[in-house]
Amino acid sequence: DQQVKQNSPSLSVQEGRISILNCDYTNSMFDYFLWYKKYPAEGPTFLISISSIKDKNEDGRFTVFLNKSAKHLSLHIVPSQPGDSAVYFCAASGYSSASKIIFGSGTRLSIRP
Amino acid sequence: DGGITQSPKYLFRKEGQNVTLSCEQNLNHDAMYWYRQDPGQGLRLIYYSQIVNDFQKGDIAEGYSVSREKKESFPLTVTSAQKNPTAFYLCASSPGPGQPQHFGDGTRLSIL
C-alpha cells in the first residue's frame, strides 16, 4: 500500500525547458511534503519542502506546488540544466506522526542537450 | 564540516552471517534512521531512533537490529534471519520529528 506515489519512473527534458515531476499521496494526515534529489552512489539530498498551509513554495529554479484537494504535488524546475539529471524522490510526513517520512519510488530525470 | 558517514561503502556477506553497518553523524541531530532501497522502489524505513537509548521499528524491521548507545552513532545489524539482504542501505539524521533528513552516501550489501 503505497501512500506516496510517483507514477512516472523516468522523464526526459531538453536543456533550458521546464521539468515537471509529479507526486500523489493517499493519506490525508500528511501535512508536510519534501523533495529530495539523488545522484548515483550517493545519499539523497534535501531540495525543497512545503507545508500544507501553503500551496506554493519557491527556491531559485525550484518551485513546489501543493493541491490538497487532489492530494497532489509537483516540482517544477526551470530552466532545466544538465546537473539536474538525477533521481527525484517525493516524501511526506505528518507533524503529529512519530517522525516518519514516507518516500515515493522516485522519478529519474534526464536533461538532454 | 558536519555530515553523516556510513561505512563500509561496499559489504559482502556470506549466507548465515550477521553483518553490521556503521553510521556516524556529527550534526548533533537527535533523530537517526535506517532505510533500505531496492531497484525501482523508494526508501523503506527499517528502524528509527528519536533519542539515545530509544528506537522504534519501521516498516520492514524483521531480520534487522539496531542500537543507539551514543547520540552520534546508530549501527544497523543485518542478521541471518533477513532472507533477502542484498540492497542499498541509507542512514539519515534530522534535528527532530518530520524535519528534513540528511543522508549518508549509503552502503551496498551483497550476498556471496
Side-chain angles (χ1 to χ4, degrees):
Chain A
D1 178 27
Q2 281 189 294
Q3 298 187 63
V4 179
K5 300 179 184 179
Q6 293 177 259
N7 293 318
S8 298
S10 62
L11 176 67
S12 179
V13 174
Q14 191 169 19
E15 183 178 356
R17 298 287 188 102
I18 184 171
S19 296
I20 300 176
L21 295 93
N22 293 303
C23 178
D24 298 296
Y25 61 95
T26 57
N27 190 338
S28 58
M29 297 300 291
F30 288 148
D31 53 13
Y32 183 56
F33 305 89
L34 312 93
W35 284 94
Y36 286 82
K37 176 180 180 179
K38 183 182 181 302
Y39 292 118
E42 293 183 10
T45 54
F46 169 70
L47 199 56
I48 193 170
S49 65
I50 188 168
S51 74
S52 59
I53 61 174
K54 293 185 174 183
D55 54 18
K56 177 183 174 181
N57 189 24
E58 195 171 352
D59 183 2
R61 296 186 298 113
F62 302 91
T63 303
V64 56
F65 295 92
L66 175 63
N67 182 333
K68 290 184 288 294
S69 61
K71 294 192 179 68
H72 177 84
L73 64 155
S74 61
L75 175 68
H76 293 211
I77 306 173
V78 55
S80 299
Q81 298 175 353
D84 296 329
S85 294
V87 176
Y88 290 79
F89 289 99
C90 171
S93 76
Y95 282 122
S96 59
S97 66
S99 74
K100 288 173 64 173
I101 294 181
I102 308 298
F103 286 84
S105 56
T107 295
R108 182 177 301 278
L109 176 64
S110 300
I111 305 302
R112 58 183 190 274
Chain B
D1 190 21
I4 298 179
T5 302
Q6 288 188 244
S7 61
K9 198 168 182 68
Y10 299 94
L11 187 59
F12 299 91
R13 191 191 92 170
K14 292 182 180 178
E15 296 276 357
Q17 230 179 20
N18 292 355
V19 289
T20 297
L21 285 61
S22 169
C23 178
E24 303 279 332
Q25 55 102 356
N26 59 4
L27 299 166
N28 200 34
H29 285 169
D30 286 320
M32 296 188 74
Y33 312 82
W34 274 105
Y35 292 90
R36 168 180 172 142
Q37 186 186 14
D38 294 283
Q41 296 195 35
L43 307 179
R44 292 185 291 167
L45 183 64
I46 303 172
Y47 267 100
Y48 64 102
S49 168
Q50 297 185 58
I51 198 168
V52 175
N53 291 322
D54 185 52
F55 49 83
Q56 287 80 41
K57 292 182 178 180
D59 301 317
I60 54 165
E62 186 175 349
Y64 300 98
S65 66
V66 293
S67 63
R68 187 86 187 277
E69 297 175 2
K70 298 187 297 183
K71 187 176 187 177
E72 313 80 54
S73 179
F74 192 40
L76 173 74
T77 297
V78 184
T79 74
S80 57
Q82 171 49 242
K83 297 307 177 189
N84 186 22
T86 298
F88 188 53
Y89 290 87
L90 285 160
C91 178
S93 71
S94 73
Q99 297 190 45
Q101 296 174 3
H102 298 251
F103 284 84
D105 283 342
T107 293
R108 186 165 297 280
L109 175 64
S110 302
I111 301 304
L112 294 177

